[in-house]
PDB file of all heavy atoms in Angstrom:
ATOM      1  N   GLU E   1      -9.477  18.808   1.690  1.00 85.00           N
ATOM      2  CA  GLU E   1      -9.991  17.907   0.661  1.00 85.00           C
ATOM      3  C   GLU E   1      -9.970  16.445   1.101  1.00 85.00           C
ATOM      4  O   GLU E   1     -10.680  15.615   0.542  1.00 85.00           O
ATOM      5  CB  GLU E   1      -9.186  18.072  -0.630  1.00 85.00           C
ATOM      6  CG  GLU E   1      -9.470  19.384  -1.338  1.00 85.00           C
ATOM      7  CD  GLU E   1      -9.006  19.362  -2.774  1.00 85.00           C
ATOM      8  OE1 GLU E   1      -8.457  18.326  -3.212  1.00 85.00           O
ATOM      9  OE2 GLU E   1      -9.214  20.373  -3.472  1.00 85.00           O
ATOM     10  N   TRP E   2      -9.144  16.116   2.094  1.00 79.00           N
ATOM     11  CA  TRP E   2      -9.022  14.730   2.545  1.00 79.00           C
ATOM     12  C   TRP E   2      -9.697  14.482   3.887  1.00 79.00           C
ATOM     13  O   TRP E   2      -9.490  13.430   4.507  1.00 79.00           O
ATOM     14  CB  TRP E   2      -7.542  14.331   2.635  1.00 79.00           C
ATOM     15  CG  TRP E   2      -6.838  14.391   1.329  1.00 79.00           C
ATOM     16  CD1 TRP E   2      -5.915  15.288   0.923  1.00 79.00           C
ATOM     17  CD2 TRP E   2      -7.033  13.501   0.220  1.00 79.00           C
ATOM     18  NE1 TRP E   2      -5.503  15.039  -0.362  1.00 79.00           N
ATOM     19  CE2 TRP E   2      -6.179  13.943  -0.823  1.00 79.00           C
ATOM     20  CE3 TRP E   2      -7.850  12.389   0.002  1.00 79.00           C
ATOM     21  CZ2 TRP E   2      -6.118  13.295  -2.049  1.00 79.00           C
ATOM     22  CZ3 TRP E   2      -7.773  11.749  -1.227  1.00 79.00           C
ATOM     23  CH2 TRP E   2      -6.915  12.209  -2.230  1.00 79.00           C
ATOM     24  N   ARG E   3     -10.524  15.398   4.357  1.00 77.00           N
ATOM     25  CA  ARG E   3     -11.165  15.221   5.659  1.00 77.00           C
ATOM     26  C   ARG E   3     -12.103  14.014   5.681  1.00 77.00           C
ATOM     27  O   ARG E   3     -12.419  13.495   6.753  1.00 77.00           O
ATOM     28  CB  ARG E   3     -11.945  16.485   6.035  1.00 77.00           C
ATOM     29  CG  ARG E   3     -11.069  17.612   6.556  1.00 77.00           C
ATOM     30  CD  ARG E   3     -11.921  18.812   6.971  1.00 77.00           C
ATOM     31  NE  ARG E   3     -11.133  19.922   7.439  1.00 77.00           N
ATOM     32  CZ  ARG E   3     -10.742  20.100   8.695  1.00 77.00           C
ATOM     33  NH1 ARG E   3     -11.071  19.194   9.606  1.00 77.00           N
ATOM     34  NH2 ARG E   3     -10.033  21.145   9.045  1.00 77.00           N
ATOM     35  N   PHE E   4     -12.567  13.577   4.521  1.00 75.00           N
ATOM     36  CA  PHE E   4     -13.472  12.421   4.486  1.00 75.00           C
ATOM     37  C   PHE E   4     -12.759  11.123   4.876  1.00 75.00           C
ATOM     38  O   PHE E   4     -13.404  10.114   5.147  1.00 75.00           O
ATOM     39  CB  PHE E   4     -14.092  12.266   3.091  1.00 75.00           C
ATOM     40  CG  PHE E   4     -13.121  11.867   2.014  1.00 75.00           C
ATOM     41  CD1 PHE E   4     -12.883  10.534   1.730  1.00 75.00           C
ATOM     42  CD2 PHE E   4     -12.446  12.834   1.283  1.00 75.00           C
ATOM     43  CE1 PHE E   4     -12.001  10.166   0.734  1.00 75.00           C
ATOM     44  CE2 PHE E   4     -11.558  12.472   0.288  1.00 75.00           C
ATOM     45  CZ  PHE E   4     -11.335  11.134   0.013  1.00 75.00           C
ATOM     46  N   MET E   5     -11.420  11.144   4.927  1.00 79.00           N
ATOM     47  CA  MET E   5     -10.656   9.946   5.275  1.00 79.00           C
ATOM     48  C   MET E   5     -10.459   9.896   6.786  1.00 79.00           C
ATOM     49  O   MET E   5      -9.614  10.588   7.335  1.00 79.00           O
ATOM     50  CB  MET E   5      -9.302   9.975   4.576  1.00 79.00           C
ATOM     51  CG  MET E   5      -9.385   9.828   3.075  1.00 79.00           C
ATOM     52  SD  MET E   5      -9.637   8.126   2.568  1.00 79.00           S
ATOM     53  CE  MET E   5      -8.015   7.469   2.866  1.00 79.00           C
ATOM     54  N   ASP E   6     -11.253   9.087   7.496  1.00 86.00           N
ATOM     55  CA  ASP E   6     -11.084   8.970   8.936  1.00 86.00           C
ATOM     56  C   ASP E   6      -9.846   8.125   9.246  1.00 86.00           C
ATOM     57  O   ASP E   6      -9.314   7.410   8.394  1.00 86.00           O
ATOM     58  CB  ASP E   6     -12.326   8.367   9.585  1.00 86.00           C
ATOM     59  CG  ASP E   6     -12.670   6.997   9.025  1.00 86.00           C
ATOM     60  OD1 ASP E   6     -11.931   6.040   9.319  1.00 86.00           O
ATOM     61  OD2 ASP E   6     -13.666   6.890   8.284  1.00 86.00           O
ATOM     62  N   ASP E   7      -9.411   8.181  10.497  1.00 90.00           N
ATOM     63  CA  ASP E   7      -8.165   7.521  10.880  1.00 90.00           C
ATOM     64  C   ASP E   7      -8.223   6.013  10.684  1.00 90.00           C
ATOM     65  O   ASP E   7      -7.219   5.392  10.303  1.00 90.00           O
ATOM     66  CB  ASP E   7      -7.831   7.833  12.344  1.00 90.00           C
ATOM     67  CG  ASP E   7      -7.272   9.235  12.515  1.00 90.00           C
ATOM     68  OD1 ASP E   7      -7.131   9.942  11.504  1.00 90.00           O
ATOM     69  OD2 ASP E   7      -6.985   9.616  13.664  1.00 90.00           O
ATOM     70  N   ALA E   8      -9.361   5.422  10.960  1.00 90.00           N
ATOM     71  CA  ALA E   8      -9.480   3.966  10.823  1.00 90.00           C
ATOM     72  C   ALA E   8      -9.264   3.545   9.375  1.00 90.00           C
ATOM     73  O   ALA E   8      -8.564   2.557   9.095  1.00 90.00           O
ATOM     74  CB  ALA E   8     -10.838   3.488  11.326  1.00 90.00           C
ATOM     75  N   HIS E   9      -9.844   4.312   8.451  1.00 89.00           N
ATOM     76  CA  HIS E   9      -9.673   3.940   7.046  1.00 89.00           C
ATOM     77  C   HIS E   9      -8.262   4.258   6.565  1.00 89.00           C
ATOM     78  O   HIS E   9      -7.696   3.519   5.750  1.00 89.00           O
ATOM     79  CB  HIS E   9     -10.690   4.641   6.164  1.00 89.00           C
ATOM     80  CG  HIS E   9     -10.703   4.106   4.760  1.00 89.00           C
ATOM     81  ND1 HIS E   9     -11.259   2.910   4.427  1.00 89.00           N
ATOM     82  CD2 HIS E   9     -10.153   4.597   3.610  1.00 89.00           C
ATOM     83  CE1 HIS E   9     -11.094   2.669   3.135  1.00 89.00           C
ATOM     84  NE2 HIS E   9     -10.425   3.678   2.622  1.00 89.00           N
ATOM     85  N   MET E  10      -7.672   5.348   7.056  1.00 91.00           N
ATOM     86  CA  MET E  10      -6.302   5.659   6.670  1.00 91.00           C
ATOM     87  C   MET E  10      -5.347   4.560   7.127  1.00 91.00           C
ATOM     88  O   MET E  10      -4.407   4.204   6.416  1.00 91.00           O
ATOM     89  CB  MET E  10      -5.884   7.016   7.251  1.00 91.00           C
ATOM     90  CG  MET E  10      -6.451   8.199   6.487  1.00 91.00           C
ATOM     91  SD  MET E  10      -5.636   9.764   6.884  1.00 91.00           S
ATOM     92  CE  MET E  10      -6.220  10.020   8.554  1.00 91.00           C
ATOM     93  N   ALA E  11      -5.598   4.006   8.325  1.00 94.00           N
ATOM     94  CA  ALA E  11      -4.762   2.902   8.799  1.00 94.00           C
ATOM     95  C   ALA E  11      -4.947   1.677   7.922  1.00 94.00           C
ATOM     96  O   ALA E  11      -3.981   0.966   7.597  1.00 94.00           O
ATOM     97  CB  ALA E  11      -5.101   2.579  10.254  1.00 94.00           C
ATOM     98  N   LYS E  12      -6.185   1.415   7.530  1.00 93.00           N
ATOM     99  CA  LYS E  12      -6.448   0.275   6.653  1.00 93.00           C
ATOM    100  C   LYS E  12      -5.773   0.474   5.296  1.00 93.00           C
ATOM    101  O   LYS E  12      -5.185  -0.452   4.731  1.00 93.00           O
ATOM    102  CB  LYS E  12      -7.950   0.075   6.476  1.00 93.00           C
ATOM    103  CG  LYS E  12      -8.323  -1.233   5.775  1.00 93.00           C
ATOM    104  CD  LYS E  12      -9.821  -1.432   5.758  1.00 93.00           C
ATOM    105  CE  LYS E  12     -10.166  -2.839   5.269  1.00 93.00           C
ATOM    106  NZ  LYS E  12      -9.624  -3.152   3.956  1.00 93.00           N
ATOM    107  N   LEU E  13      -5.869   1.690   4.773  1.00 93.00           N
ATOM    108  CA  LEU E  13      -5.227   1.994   3.492  1.00 93.00           C
ATOM    109  C   LEU E  13      -3.716   1.786   3.594  1.00 93.00           C
ATOM    110  O   LEU E  13      -3.087   1.234   2.684  1.00 93.00           O
ATOM    111  CB  LEU E  13      -5.540   3.426   3.082  1.00 93.00           C
ATOM    112  CG  LEU E  13      -4.903   3.910   1.779  1.00 93.00           C
ATOM    113  CD1 LEU E  13      -5.462   3.162   0.586  1.00 93.00           C
ATOM    114  CD2 LEU E  13      -5.092   5.409   1.604  1.00 93.00           C
ATOM    115  N   ARG E  14      -3.119   2.208   4.713  1.00 95.00           N
ATOM    116  CA  ARG E  14      -1.684   2.047   4.884  1.00 95.00           C
ATOM    117  C   ARG E  14      -1.301   0.569   4.926  1.00 95.00           C
ATOM    118  O   ARG E  14      -0.295   0.158   4.345  1.00 95.00           O
ATOM    119  CB  ARG E  14      -1.204   2.750   6.156  1.00 95.00           C
ATOM    120  CG  ARG E  14       0.283   2.662   6.373  1.00 95.00           C
ATOM    121  CD  ARG E  14       0.755   3.452   7.569  1.00 95.00           C
ATOM    122  NE  ARG E  14       0.709   4.887   7.324  1.00 95.00           N
ATOM    123  CZ  ARG E  14       1.436   5.778   7.996  1.00 95.00           C
ATOM    124  NH1 ARG E  14       2.251   5.377   8.950  1.00 95.00           N
ATOM    125  NH2 ARG E  14       1.342   7.069   7.724  1.00 95.00           N
ATOM    126  N   ALA E  15      -2.110  -0.246   5.594  1.00 97.00           N
ATOM    127  CA  ALA E  15      -1.845  -1.685   5.644  1.00 97.00           C
ATOM    128  C   ALA E  15      -1.939  -2.301   4.253  1.00 97.00           C
ATOM    129  O   ALA E  15      -1.112  -3.140   3.869  1.00 97.00           O
ATOM    130  CB  ALA E  15      -2.822  -2.363   6.596  1.00 97.00           C
ATOM    131  N   GLN E  16      -2.938  -1.881   3.471  1.00 96.00           N
ATOM    132  CA  GLN E  16      -3.073  -2.383   2.103  1.00 96.00           C
ATOM    133  C   GLN E  16      -1.896  -1.922   1.240  1.00 96.00           C
ATOM    134  O   GLN E  16      -1.388  -2.683   0.399  1.00 96.00           O
ATOM    135  CB  GLN E  16      -4.389  -1.877   1.504  1.00 96.00           C
ATOM    136  CG  GLN E  16      -5.623  -2.412   2.201  1.00 96.00           C
ATOM    137  CD  GLN E  16      -6.899  -1.668   1.798  1.00 96.00           C
ATOM    138  OE1 GLN E  16      -7.906  -1.752   2.486  1.00 96.00           O
ATOM    139  NE2 GLN E  16      -6.870  -0.949   0.686  1.00 96.00           N
ATOM    140  N   TYR E  17      -1.471  -0.687   1.450  1.00 97.00           N
ATOM    141  CA  TYR E  17      -0.314  -0.144   0.731  1.00 97.00           C
ATOM    142  C   TYR E  17       0.926  -0.991   1.011  1.00 97.00           C
ATOM    143  O   TYR E  17       1.689  -1.337   0.102  1.00 97.00           O
ATOM    144  CB  TYR E  17      -0.113   1.302   1.181  1.00 97.00           C
ATOM    145  CG  TYR E  17       1.098   2.021   0.628  1.00 97.00           C
ATOM    146  CD1 TYR E  17       0.974   2.913  -0.435  1.00 97.00           C
ATOM    147  CD2 TYR E  17       2.361   1.866   1.196  1.00 97.00           C
ATOM    148  CE1 TYR E  17       2.072   3.605  -0.925  1.00 97.00           C
ATOM    149  CE2 TYR E  17       3.463   2.553   0.718  1.00 97.00           C
ATOM    150  CZ  TYR E  17       3.313   3.415  -0.340  1.00 97.00           C
ATOM    151  OH  TYR E  17       4.406   4.108  -0.817  1.00 97.00           O
ATOM    152  N   MET E  18       1.130  -1.345   2.270  1.00 98.00           N
ATOM    153  CA  MET E  18       2.279  -2.166   2.633  1.00 98.00           C
ATOM    154  C   MET E  18       2.198  -3.545   1.993  1.00 98.00           C
ATOM    155  O   MET E  18       3.210  -4.121   1.591  1.00 98.00           O
ATOM    156  CB  MET E  18       2.386  -2.257   4.153  1.00 98.00           C
ATOM    157  CG  MET E  18       2.819  -0.956   4.800  1.00 98.00           C
ATOM    158  SD  MET E  18       2.620  -0.932   6.607  1.00 98.00           S
ATOM    159  CE  MET E  18       3.554  -2.371   7.092  1.00 98.00           C
ATOM    160  N   GLY E  19       0.975  -4.077   1.869  1.00 98.00           N
ATOM    161  CA  GLY E  19       0.814  -5.332   1.148  1.00 98.00           C
ATOM    162  C   GLY E  19       1.236  -5.209  -0.296  1.00 98.00           C
ATOM    163  O   GLY E  19       1.887  -6.107  -0.862  1.00 98.00           O
ATOM    164  N   ASP E  20       0.885  -4.082  -0.921  1.00 98.00           N
ATOM    165  CA  ASP E  20       1.317  -3.816  -2.296  1.00 98.00           C
ATOM    166  C   ASP E  20       2.840  -3.726  -2.381  1.00 98.00           C
ATOM    167  O   ASP E  20       3.457  -4.194  -3.346  1.00 98.00           O
ATOM    168  CB  ASP E  20       0.695  -2.505  -2.785  1.00 98.00           C
ATOM    169  CG  ASP E  20      -0.248  -2.698  -3.961  1.00 98.00           C
ATOM    170  OD1 ASP E  20      -0.155  -3.739  -4.637  1.00 98.00           O
ATOM    171  OD2 ASP E  20      -1.079  -1.809  -4.207  1.00 98.00           O
ATOM    172  N   VAL E  21       3.463  -3.093  -1.386  1.00 98.00           N
ATOM    173  CA  VAL E  21       4.917  -2.977  -1.357  1.00 98.00           C
ATOM    174  C   VAL E  21       5.567  -4.361  -1.334  1.00 98.00           C
ATOM    175  O   VAL E  21       6.517  -4.642  -2.078  1.00 98.00           O
ATOM    176  CB  VAL E  21       5.361  -2.136  -0.144  1.00 98.00           C
ATOM    177  CG1 VAL E  21       6.854  -2.299   0.115  1.00 98.00           C
ATOM    178  CG2 VAL E  21       5.022  -0.667  -0.355  1.00 98.00           C
ATOM    179  N   THR E  22       5.065  -5.238  -0.475  1.00 98.00           N
ATOM    180  CA  THR E  22       5.632  -6.582  -0.384  1.00 98.00           C
ATOM    181  C   THR E  22       5.396  -7.369  -1.666  1.00 98.00           C
ATOM    182  O   THR E  22       6.270  -8.127  -2.118  1.00 98.00           O
ATOM    183  CB  THR E  22       5.047  -7.336   0.820  1.00 98.00           C
ATOM    184  OG1 THR E  22       5.396  -6.626   2.024  1.00 98.00           O
ATOM    185  CG2 THR E  22       5.574  -8.756   0.910  1.00 98.00           C
ATOM    186  N   LEU E  23       4.232  -7.191  -2.289  1.00 98.00           N
ATOM    187  CA  LEU E  23       3.972  -7.850  -3.570  1.00 98.00           C
ATOM    188  C   LEU E  23       4.997  -7.398  -4.606  1.00 98.00           C
ATOM    189  O   LEU E  23       5.543  -8.228  -5.364  1.00 98.00           O
ATOM    190  CB  LEU E  23       2.556  -7.544  -4.039  1.00 98.00           C
ATOM    191  CG  LEU E  23       2.104  -8.208  -5.340  1.00 98.00           C
ATOM    192  CD1 LEU E  23       0.611  -8.503  -5.304  1.00 98.00           C
ATOM    193  CD2 LEU E  23       2.406  -7.339  -6.560  1.00 98.00           C
ATOM    194  N   ILE E  24       5.276  -6.096  -4.669  1.00 98.00           N
ATOM    195  CA  ILE E  24       6.265  -5.585  -5.616  1.00 98.00           C
ATOM    196  C   ILE E  24       7.634  -6.169  -5.319  1.00 98.00           C
ATOM    197  O   ILE E  24       8.377  -6.563  -6.234  1.00 98.00           O
ATOM    198  CB  ILE E  24       6.297  -4.042  -5.565  1.00 98.00           C
ATOM    199  CG1 ILE E  24       5.028  -3.470  -6.176  1.00 98.00           C
ATOM    200  CG2 ILE E  24       7.527  -3.498  -6.289  1.00 98.00           C
ATOM    201  CD1 ILE E  24       4.871  -1.992  -5.967  1.00 98.00           C
ATOM    202  N   ASP E  25       7.985  -6.247  -4.043  1.00 98.00           N
ATOM    203  CA  ASP E  25       9.272  -6.827  -3.673  1.00 98.00           C
ATOM    204  C   ASP E  25       9.387  -8.267  -4.171  1.00 98.00           C
ATOM    205  O   ASP E  25      10.451  -8.681  -4.655  1.00 98.00           O
ATOM    206  CB  ASP E  25       9.443  -6.772  -2.152  1.00 98.00           C
ATOM    207  CG  ASP E  25      10.815  -7.240  -1.720  1.00 98.00           C
ATOM    208  OD1 ASP E  25      11.750  -6.426  -1.723  1.00 98.00           O
ATOM    209  OD2 ASP E  25      10.966  -8.438  -1.388  1.00 98.00           O
ATOM    210  N   ARG E  26       8.313  -9.022  -4.078  1.00 98.00           N
ATOM    211  CA  ARG E  26       8.327 -10.405  -4.574  1.00 98.00           C
ATOM    212  C   ARG E  26       8.525 -10.423  -6.086  1.00 98.00           C
ATOM    213  O   ARG E  26       9.209 -11.304  -6.628  1.00 98.00           O
ATOM    214  CB  ARG E  26       7.019 -11.106  -4.201  1.00 98.00           C
ATOM    215  CG  ARG E  26       6.765 -11.180  -2.705  1.00 98.00           C
ATOM    216  CD  ARG E  26       7.458 -12.332  -2.034  1.00 98.00           C
ATOM    217  NE  ARG E  26       7.364 -12.258  -0.578  1.00 98.00           N
ATOM    218  CZ  ARG E  26       6.343 -12.689   0.146  1.00 98.00           C
ATOM    219  NH1 ARG E  26       5.296 -13.232  -0.451  1.00 98.00           N
ATOM    220  NH2 ARG E  26       6.353 -12.590   1.461  1.00 98.00           N
ATOM    221  N   GLN E  27       7.930  -9.465  -6.783  1.00 98.00           N
ATOM    222  CA  GLN E  27       8.093  -9.410  -8.239  1.00 98.00           C
ATOM    223  C   GLN E  27       9.532  -9.044  -8.605  1.00 98.00           C
ATOM    224  O   GLN E  27      10.103  -9.587  -9.566  1.00 98.00           O
ATOM    225  CB  GLN E  27       7.124  -8.395  -8.854  1.00 98.00           C
ATOM    226  CG  GLN E  27       5.660  -8.614  -8.498  1.00 98.00           C
ATOM    227  CD  GLN E  27       5.227 -10.057  -8.633  1.00 98.00           C
ATOM    228  OE1 GLN E  27       5.363 -10.678  -9.687  1.00 98.00           O
ATOM    229  NE2 GLN E  27       4.703 -10.612  -7.546  1.00 98.00           N
ATOM    230  N   ILE E  28      10.127  -8.146  -7.839  1.00 98.00           N
ATOM    231  CA  ILE E  28      11.527  -7.805  -8.075  1.00 98.00           C
ATOM    232  C   ILE E  28      12.408  -9.029  -7.830  1.00 98.00           C
ATOM    233  O   ILE E  28      13.374  -9.276  -8.561  1.00 98.00           O
ATOM    234  CB  ILE E  28      11.948  -6.620  -7.179  1.00 98.00           C
ATOM    235  CG1 ILE E  28      11.212  -5.347  -7.635  1.00 98.00           C
ATOM    236  CG2 ILE E  28      13.454  -6.408  -7.205  1.00 98.00           C
ATOM    237  CD1 ILE E  28      11.414  -4.154  -6.728  1.00 98.00           C
ATOM    238  N   GLY E  29      12.053  -9.820  -6.830  1.00 98.00           N
ATOM    239  CA  GLY E  29      12.770 -11.069  -6.598  1.00 98.00           C
ATOM    240  C   GLY E  29      12.700 -11.996  -7.794  1.00 98.00           C
ATOM    241  O   GLY E  29      13.697 -12.664  -8.141  1.00 98.00           O
ATOM    242  N   ARG E  30      11.547 -12.061  -8.449  1.00 98.00           N
ATOM    243  CA  ARG E  30      11.402 -12.882  -9.661  1.00 98.00           C
ATOM    244  C   ARG E  30      12.332 -12.375 -10.765  1.00 98.00           C
ATOM    245  O   ARG E  30      12.969 -13.172 -11.479  1.00 98.00           O
ATOM    246  CB  ARG E  30       9.961 -12.848 -10.156  1.00 98.00           C
ATOM    247  CG  ARG E  30       8.935 -13.508  -9.257  1.00 98.00           C
ATOM    248  CD  ARG E  30       7.535 -13.293  -9.805  1.00 98.00           C
ATOM    249  NE  ARG E  30       7.377 -13.889 -11.129  1.00 98.00           N
ATOM    250  CZ  ARG E  30       6.417 -13.534 -12.003  1.00 98.00           C
ATOM    251  NH1 ARG E  30       5.569 -12.559 -11.691  1.00 98.00           N
ATOM    252  NH2 ARG E  30       6.336 -14.132 -13.179  1.00 98.00           N
ATOM    253  N   VAL E  31      12.424 -11.060 -10.906  1.00 98.00           N
ATOM    254  CA  VAL E  31      13.272 -10.479 -11.953  1.00 98.00           C
ATOM    255  C   VAL E  31      14.745 -10.761 -11.659  1.00 98.00           C
ATOM    256  O   VAL E  31      15.513 -11.127 -12.561  1.00 98.00           O
ATOM    257  CB  VAL E  31      13.012  -8.966 -12.061  1.00 98.00           C
ATOM    258  CG1 VAL E  31      14.011  -8.307 -13.009  1.00 98.00           C
ATOM    259  CG2 VAL E  31      11.583  -8.703 -12.540  1.00 98.00           C
ATOM    260  N   LEU E  32      15.153 -10.606 -10.405  1.00 98.00           N
ATOM    261  CA  LEU E  32      16.545 -10.861 -10.046  1.00 98.00           C
ATOM    262  C   LEU E  32      16.907 -12.328 -10.299  1.00 98.00           C
ATOM    263  O   LEU E  32      17.998 -12.634 -10.784  1.00 98.00           O
ATOM    264  CB  LEU E  32      16.786 -10.504  -8.582  1.00 98.00           C
ATOM    265  CG  LEU E  32      16.591  -9.028  -8.209  1.00 98.00           C
ATOM    266  CD1 LEU E  32      16.837  -8.829  -6.718  1.00 98.00           C
ATOM    267  CD2 LEU E  32      17.506  -8.133  -9.022  1.00 98.00           C
ATOM    268  N   ALA E  33      15.982 -13.231  -9.956  1.00 98.00           N
ATOM    269  CA  ALA E  33      16.233 -14.656 -10.202  1.00 98.00           C
ATOM    270  C   ALA E  33      16.375 -14.936 -11.695  1.00 98.00           C
ATOM    271  O   ALA E  33      17.250 -15.707 -12.123  1.00 98.00           O
ATOM    272  CB  ALA E  33      15.107 -15.491  -9.599  1.00 98.00           C
ATOM    273  N   ALA E  34      15.528 -14.291 -12.503  1.00 97.00           N
ATOM    274  CA  ALA E  34      15.600 -14.489 -13.957  1.00 97.00           C
ATOM    275  C   ALA E  34      16.920 -13.969 -14.520  1.00 97.00           C
ATOM    276  O   ALA E  34      17.526 -14.602 -15.401  1.00 97.00           O
ATOM    277  CB  ALA E  34      14.422 -13.797 -14.639  1.00 97.00           C
TER     278      ALA E  34
END
């Protein structure tokens, strides 16, 4: 079912996912500061 995802796009998706992870970490930092 996932064969349509070529390696180049999967790598891009993973990089975007990691960006989301860091964004969440920054939000958790805001909560801890509060």
Side-chain angles (χ1 to χ4, degrees):
E1 288 197 0
W2 298 108
R3 282 183 182 272
F4 68 90
M5 292 281 286
D6 58 71
D7 283 359
H9 190 75
M10 283 195 290
K12 190 174 189 303
L13 178 66
R14 182 175 288 202
Q16 295 167 198
Y17 176 100
M18 289 168 55
D20 243 340
V21 165
T22 298
L23 182 148
I24 289 170
D25 185 85
R26 300 277 171 84
Q27 305 314 304
I28 292 173
R30 293 175 62 200
V31 172
L32 297 179

